[in-house]
Amino acid sequence: MGFIFSKSMNDSLKAQQEFMLMNSRLQLERQLLMQNQMRERQTAMQIAWTREFLKYFGTFFGLTAVGLAAGAIKKKNPAVLLPIVPLSFVFAYQYDMGYGTLLQRMKG
């Protein structure tokens, strides 16, 4: 009698252990999926922020380039155009981040 009772308990314990193992695997898979979704959302937010920033910085860069060009012509001094160089690097970086392949290259 005790043998039958302990055998059914062992079977029940094994079934419960298998269920717990399956449940923990399922939970781990869900956590990984959620982490991937959060990473993708964060990347999308970063790209959206960069594109929004690029609108304002592009306007600033364009107005600055026109103003510096007018100042260089008026003063007849091409050295006035020098601030355009670092601003163009920042603009190119932001453009590549928002509309280019910078994030894919960083992942690779």
Side-chain angles (χ1 to χ4, degrees), residues 23-75:
N23 197 19
S24 64
R25 284 182 184 165
L26 184 63
Q27 186 177 6
L28 182 63
E29 288 177 14
R30 287 179 180 168
Q31 284 178 348
L32 290 174
L33 285 173
M34 189 171 65
Q35 284 178 351
N36 286 339
Q37 282 182 341
M38 292 301 289
R39 190 178 311 116
E40 288 175 3
R41 287 179 184 174
Q42 188 176 15
T43 304
M45 274 297 278
Q46 187 176 9
I47 290 172
W49 184 88
T50 302
R51 288 179 179 177
E52 191 67 25
F53 176 78
L54 187 62
K55 291 176 187 176
Y56 293 102
F57 187 77
T59 304
F60 167 75
F61 178 72
L63 292 174
T64 303
V66 169
L68 290 174
I73 292 171
K74 190 174 185 179
K75 292 187 177 187

Side-chain angles (χ1 to χ4, degrees), residues 2-14:
F3 177 72
I4 295 172
F5 184 68
S6 65
K7 186 176 180 183
S8 69
M9 287 289 284
N10 284 339
D11 290 343
S12 176
L13 184 62
K14 283 183 182 181

